[in-house]
Amino acid sequence: MCVDLCGVDYLEHFGRWLPEGVEGTRFEVVVNLLSLSKKERVRVRVQAGNDAPESTRCSSSIRTEAMEREAFDLFGILSRTIRI
């Protein structure tokens, strides 16, 4: 289950830690997931871009519409659904 989804603006913090091979951008989307059956948490960080921040939805089965709207209202990060 999705516990939290938020946008982050690293306007003055480009020197943050990132895994090797990941190029940091100004905006980032952070999703915190929780498995009740396994009692485990997972944090997913997605680089959303600099000038026109955008990210893709995790899954249509995870209910995050309200949190995605909040990230758009606060940071202008668009959330797009990819159709396969």
Side-chain angles (χ1 to χ4, degrees):
M1 80 172 13
C2 180
V3 178
D4 187 34
L5 182 149
C6 65
V8 182
D9 184 354
Y10 287 105
L11 177 62
E12 298 180 3
H13 301 285
F14 273 104
R16 68 190 182 276
W17 179 87
L18 290 168
E20 188 176 323
V22 176
E23 184 179 334
T25 62
R26 176 178 172 184
F27 294 99
E28 184 175 274
V29 175
V30 180
V31 181
N32 293 299
L33 304 171
L34 172 65
S35 170
L36 296 174
S37 61
K38 295 182 180 181
K39 299 178 183 170
E40 294 179 347
R41 293 178 181 263
V42 174
R43 179 181 300 149
V44 179
R45 295 170 56 191
V46 178
Q47 303 305 304
N50 292 316
D51 298 328
E54 185 176 315
S55 70
T56 56
R57 282 207 170 106
C58 295
S59 169
S60 60
S61 64
I62 300 176
R63 302 274 183 215
T64 59
E65 292 88 9
M67 293 180 263
E68 289 169 350
R69 277 196 306 267
E70 184 175 335
F72 176 75
D73 290 344
L74 293 173
F75 300 102
I77 301 172
L78 289 175
S79 181
R80 303 230 186 250
T81 302
I82 295 176
R83 299 199 190 279
I84 299 174

